Structure formats: structure tokens, C-alpha cells
Amino acid sequence: MAFSSPLFSPVSFTLNPNPQLHHPKCTKPNNRRSFSVCAIPPLSTATDISAVTGTLDGTTIAVLGGSSVAALAAILSLADPERRRQLQAEEVGGGDKEVVREYFNNNGFQRWKKIYGDTDDVNKVQLDIRLGHSKTVENVMKMLTEEGSLQGVTVCDAGCGTGCLSIPLAKEGAIVSASDISASMVAEAQKQAQEELFEGKDDQSPAPVMPKFEVKDLESLDGKYDTVVCLDVMIHYPQSKADGMIAHLASLAENRLILSFAPKTFYYDLLKRIGELFPGPSKATRAYLHAEADVERALQKAGWKIKKRGLIATQFYFAKLIEAVPLKGK
């Protein structure tokens, strides 16, 4: 992906077996009773952050005095984002899944097509999210290639979006099965894959295998793959359903399972709720954060363990990235 202007926030990523969460640096205030919250969680696949920054300052989303936390909590308790979500579900005739499908086939598709693409027609928040997501893809590719060639390796890209991961995987020789709940996303992914993989290619180098793109939700996926990757999709699943989804994805993988998710901490959760107070003109989907311990527990229950873990952080995008492998004797 290309970036049209320099960004003010660094990207941090670490891969290590230590489960301790790394926190982004914030500017230290002079008044010891106040603190600065300088980022929001990766609502990038769920909430219209641009609407928030239209009301709040884009560089510092919230600067709260220590005595203001209780007042903010009281304000949030009076807000009713759940009612707004319920109305969304009623409009499309279903629950979370139907809302997600409707959003990413319509307004959400147009927004995220721009963010995932290389157009200059993005604001600084969208550009920052683009950087964060591209760093996630970059680090997944590093995970997958550092142990050897991907030539002929079967990979399931679950929740492929516009093909940001599927296309580089195919370029490395992987046999990719890619799916998304949004027909609009799948059509765009097929179009981009055709352009990037085949148009203008000479006859001297071997042609990559076109990824197999399908319109499917995660629960409908089947088959067996060397590796299953699911990036930025768990944000649409509450933990009660995420456990089953993780177990299902693990059942499809033979050697590796790579997941990214929005980490659940007190401040990330607080800032997510702030974002819900400013839904903007376009409707967005519900965002669920996940504690790393809950994800690890779900993996262990399915017979898997975490091999590598890290945090990708920009100003407006946070995602935990983990690589899991089967437990011995599974």
C-alpha cells in the first residue's frame, strides 16, 4: 500500500513469547493528577472514527483530568449506543452478522475500499488506520515466510476484505482460499488480484495461482489448510461467540493459526464507548474488544498454544497479533 503523507505516530510491533501487553507511549503531563489518552482502539473495521475526529481534536482524542473519569463514566452510562445497534439490526432484519453484511456491502465498503487502497482521498485518521492495517499484513507475511517458502502452501484468508493479504500471499506462491461476508469486498478483491497478479506480467516468470475468492461468513468455512489467517474480524464477535469461532478456525488449520484482535483494556474500552457517542452520518457495526487471556484460553481449549505475539499500534489503530500452533500430541 502507498501512503500519501507522513504520519505523526510511530508503529510499534514486537514478537515475543511474553504475554505482557505493551502500551503505546503517551505525552506525560505536568500536572500529576491528569493524564492524556492519545489513541483509540482499532475500531477500524467497526466504527466511523472520522465522525469522532470531526467533533474532537484529531491529535489528542481525549485529555481528561483525573477527577473527570467518574464524570465521564456517568455520561457514558446515560448514552444508549445499544439502542442504536438494536435499531440497526431491526432495519436489516437480523443480528450482528446481518448488520456487518449490510454495512460492508454498502457505506462501509466505500469507506474501507479507500482505506485499504492507495487513493489520496482519505483524511489523516483513515491514513493512519491504513498504515496500521498494512503493518499488520506486513508482520503476518514476515511470520509466514521466516520459516521457509510459501510455494504450494495452502492458506485460508478468513475475512479477506479487498485482498490486502491474499494478493501478497499469492505472489509468494501460496495456494489461497479467501472469503468475506461482503460480496462487494470479494468482488473488489478479485478485481485487484487480477490486476496485480496477471496484467502486464511477462512470460518468463511463473504465473501465480489466482486466489479462490468466495462470499462466506466464518461459520460456513470448511476444508483443511496448512495455515489459517483471520485479521481484524474478531471485533465483530462478542467473547461468547468468539470462543466458538476460534475453535472452528483452529479445526481448519493443520500447522498455524494467525489472529489479530482489538485488545480489551480499561482505557481502550472507555475510548471505544466515547466513539459510540459520535456515530456519525453513516451507520457502523458494533465493536467488541477481547482480553488476550480470553483468546489464549479459547485456543488452549481447542488444543492450540500461542507461539508468537505482538502489538501493532499507530495513533488510531491498535491490534494484538498472535500466531498459534497445535499442542504436542493433538
Side-chain angles (χ1 to χ4, degrees), residues 188-208:
E188 180 65 20
Q190 289 176 317
K191 175 177 173 290
Q192 292 192 21
Q194 185 66 39
E195 292 174 354
E196 292 193 38
L197 297 175
F198 301 105
E199 290 186 7
K201 193 167 186 61
D202 59 65
D203 296 331
Q204 303 302 318
S205 55

Side-chain angles (χ1 to χ4, degrees), residues 16 50 153 161 165 171 183 210 251 317 330:
N16 59 68
S50 305
V153 174
L165 178 64
K171 288 180 177 179
M210 180 73 172
S251 73
Y317 178 100
K330 176 191 172 187

Side-chain angles (χ1 to χ4, degrees), residues 3-329:
F3 309 105
S4 57
S5 66
L7 290 162
F8 47 79
S9 177
V11 175
S12 65
F13 183 81
T14 56
L15 286 176
N16 59 68
N18 192 334
Q20 182 177 358
L21 179 65
H22 300 276
H23 295 281
K25 295 181 179 178
C26 295
T27 303
K28 186 176 181 180
N30 293 327
N31 186 339
R32 66 181 182 180
R33 292 193 63 197
S34 65
F35 62 89
S36 172
V37 181
C38 60
I40 61 179
L43 310 183
S44 54
T45 55
T47 299
D48 184 2
I49 301 176
S50 305
V52 182
T53 56
T55 306
L56 305 176
D57 177 73
T59 303
T60 303
I61 291 300
V63 179
L64 306 172
S67 61
S68 301
V69 175
L72 177 60
I75 293 172
L76 291 175
S77 69
L78 296 175
D80 194 8
E82 186 62 31
R83 176 57 180 164
R84 177 166 55 85
R85 305 302 186 197
Q86 182 181 346
L87 291 174
Q88 282 180 257
E90 290 175 357
E91 285 184 14
V92 298
D96 281 349
K97 184 186 296 186
E98 287 71 23
V99 171
V100 169
R101 181 184 290 111
E102 175 73 13
Y103 175 71
F104 284 106
N105 273 326
N106 295 286
N107 291 343
F109 167 68
Q110 296 300 329
R111 175 168 288 106
W112 295 104
K113 177 184 174 182
K114 290 197 305 183
I115 291 175
Y116 293 151
D118 56 9
T119 177
D120 292 337
D121 184 25
V122 289
N123 60 39
K124 66 181 180 181
V125 176
Q126 293 169 332
L127 187 62
D128 186 79
I129 295 169
R130 178 189 291 176
L131 174 62
H133 184 264
S134 70
K135 293 301 293 184
T136 299
V137 171
E138 177 184 325
N139 281 285
V140 169
M141 291 301 298
K142 182 179 179 182
M143 282 179 169
L144 293 175
T145 57
E146 65 185 3
E147 295 182 5
S149 170
L150 292 179
Q151 190 69 41
V153 174
T154 55
V155 181
C156 173
D157 183 6
C160 65
T162 59
C164 298
L165 178 64
S166 297
I167 294 170
L169 284 171
K171 288 180 177 179
E172 291 292 325
I175 309 301
V176 183
S177 294
S179 61
D180 199 279
I181 195 172
S182 164
S184 297
M185 287 287 188
V186 168
E188 180 65 20
Q190 289 176 317
K191 175 177 173 290
Q192 292 192 21
Q194 185 66 39
E195 292 174 354
E196 292 193 38
L197 297 175
F198 301 105
E199 290 186 7
K201 193 167 186 61
D202 59 65
D203 296 331
Q204 303 302 318
S205 55
V209 176
M210 180 73 172
K212 179 184 178 182
F213 292 104
E214 294 182 284
V215 180
K216 281 187 175 183
D217 57 32
L218 295 187
E219 293 82 356
S220 300
L221 296 178
D222 55 13
K224 281 289 184 181
Y225 309 90
D226 177 88
T227 299
V228 173
V229 184
C230 185
L231 303 182
D232 293 348
V233 177
M234 284 179 60
I235 200 165
H236 302 303
Y237 287 79
Q239 191 60 50
S240 58
K241 294 184 179 180
D243 288 0
M245 186 268 283
I246 290 171
H248 177 58
L249 293 175
S251 73
L252 306 177
E254 295 181 332
N255 294 310
R256 285 183 293 197
L257 173 60
I258 296 177
L259 303 171
S260 74
F261 56 92
K264 184 174 184 177
T265 68
F266 172 78
Y267 292 119
Y268 290 177
D269 189 54
L270 185 66
L271 290 167
K272 179 182 79 71
R273 296 199 64 190
I274 293 173
E276 288 179 330
L277 295 177
F278 304 92
S282 66
K283 297 177 180 179
T285 65
R286 187 183 327 209
Y288 296 100
L289 310 185
H290 297 280
E292 185 174 349
D294 290 336
V295 174
E296 187 163 15
R297 174 185 48 77
L299 285 166
Q300 290 174 344
K301 187 176 180 180
W304 289 67
K305 65 178 181 179
I306 296 178
K307 178 181 178 182
K308 297 176 183 176
R309 67 184 88 211
L311 174 71
I312 294 144
T314 65
Q315 186 75 14
F316 298 98
Y317 178 100
F318 286 88
K320 289 293 295 188
L321 181 63
I322 61 173
E323 177 183 2
V325 296
L327 291 167
K328 291 182 179 179

